[in-house]
Amino acid sequence: GDYVTAESWSNLTVNESFATYGEQLWRHYKYGKASADELLYNELNSYLGISDHSPSLVRFHYRDKEDMFDRISYQKGSVILHYLHGLMGDEAFYQSMKKYLTDNAMHSAEAANWRLAVEAVTGQDWNWFFDQWYYRGGHPKLDIQYTYDDAAQKMTVAIAQIQPGATYKLPLKSAIVYGNEKQVVDWAIAGKNTSYTYPYKNGVKPLVIPDIEHWLPGEITENKTPSNWLLAYK
């Protein structure tokens, strides 16, 4: 906060979302992944408890400075950092934080400076991520439908983005489960509709657990049967 402070009230997220996410990192270090996941779950649901049409992380217009101290700057910002951390991996994420703090030490900074640090470390363009998560309000809502074709011995996953407005680019990891066998696959969700097909294995129907790493700062609904929900729970 004082070492590198927000360049403007609009960029308060560069301080407060890290303050909130820092507790998740501490929980993981001190008490383990389950404790950190519980906090992540609570923070995501705290954010989702407000209006669907929430403002963006970086807000150039607000009625009062106190409006910035809300579940957008804190909770939503923290789950977005969790998503970014997952996409980048530990080494790149921590190196990016170090570079951001080193380059801007004893000065003010904004979200663009954080993006530049991420890009310098990874060598990748992250404008797409910051545009949709830092400068756009709201969040994605995924409706996932599973269709089993016993004759063809395959299952189709149909993923629809049903939130109003623009669509999101959503790299996610999901689990495909056959009995006691689990494999993690990459999903590259883009556009309103995305689909994947998975075969049966020796007559065993695949069970899908979407977003197995809990990255998505948004909502998922599924048409799983009660028996499949039980399998997912197990």
Side-chain angles (χ1 to χ4, degrees):
D2 292 333
Y3 192 64
V4 179
T5 196
E7 177 271 338
S8 64
W9 225 237
S10 299
N11 283 273
L12 193 68
T13 184
V14 296
N15 288 22
E16 306 310 338
S17 61
F18 272 103
T20 308
Y21 186 52
E23 185 179 355
Q24 285 186 44
L25 297 178
W26 168 252
R27 285 272 198 100
H28 192 282
Y29 166 77
K30 184 69 175 179
Y31 302 111
K33 184 176 184 298
S35 177
D37 283 350
E38 180 185 20
L39 181 59
L40 168 68
Y41 176 81
N42 290 335
E43 289 177 348
L44 174 61
N45 281 283
S46 175
Y47 157 67
L48 293 177
I50 63 177
S51 170
D52 289 343
H53 304 291
S54 60
S56 56
L57 279 186
V58 177
R59 273 170 275 175
F60 298 108
H61 303 284
Y62 46 86
R63 291 173 299 177
D64 185 271
K65 66 183 187 302
E66 297 302 318
D67 291 347
M68 295 296 292
F69 292 92
D70 59 8
R71 283 180 275 181
I72 306 299
S73 297
Y74 289 83
Q75 281 77 19
K76 186 182 184 183
S78 74
V79 296
I80 287 172
L81 286 174
H82 172 76
Y83 187 17
L84 181 61
H85 187 171
L87 292 174
M88 295 173 64
D90 285 343
E91 184 177 359
F93 187 78
Y94 293 131
Q95 285 183 5
S96 296
M97 285 199 297
K98 182 177 181 179
K99 181 170 179 57
Y100 170 78
L101 291 171
T102 302
D103 289 353
N104 300 289
M106 307 307 294
H107 291 86
S108 58
E110 55 187 289
N113 297 104
W114 168 229
R115 175 181 59 80
L116 290 172
V118 169
E119 291 183 341
V121 169
T122 62
Q124 299 175 16
D125 178 8
W126 287 90
N127 271 296
W128 66 271
F129 186 93
F130 280 76
D131 284 349
Q132 68 183 22
W133 292 114
Y134 279 74
Y135 301 104
R136 183 194 304 174
H139 59 263
K141 295 183 177 183
L142 303 184
D143 179 67
I144 302 179
Q145 301 288 316
Y146 305 104
T147 304
Y148 290 88
D149 186 338
D150 293 341
Q153 293 283 288
K154 66 181 182 181
M155 181 263 286
T156 300
V157 185
I159 308 158
Q161 296 195 43
I162 60 173
Q163 73 279 352
T167 57
Y168 288 76
K169 176 181 176 181
L170 300 171
L172 297 174
K173 290 187 179 295
S174 296
I176 313 300
V177 182
Y178 297 90
N180 294 322
E181 176 189 341
K182 181 181 78 174
Q183 65 183 93
V184 176
V185 298
D186 291 314
W187 281 3
I189 299 172
K192 282 290 184 184
N193 297 282
T194 306
S195 64
Y196 295 96
T197 301
Y198 300 102
Y200 292 11
K201 281 192 176 182
N202 300 319
V204 177
K205 299 178 181 180
L207 169 73
V208 173
I209 303 177
D211 189 26
I212 192 69
E213 299 291 346
H214 312 298
W215 285 350
L216 184 70
E219 301 174 65
I220 296 176
T221 57
E222 306 171 67
N223 74 331
K224 277 190 172 81
T225 62
S227 60
N228 274 350
W229 279 118
L230 179 60
L231 288 173
Y233 169 74
K234 290 180 176 179

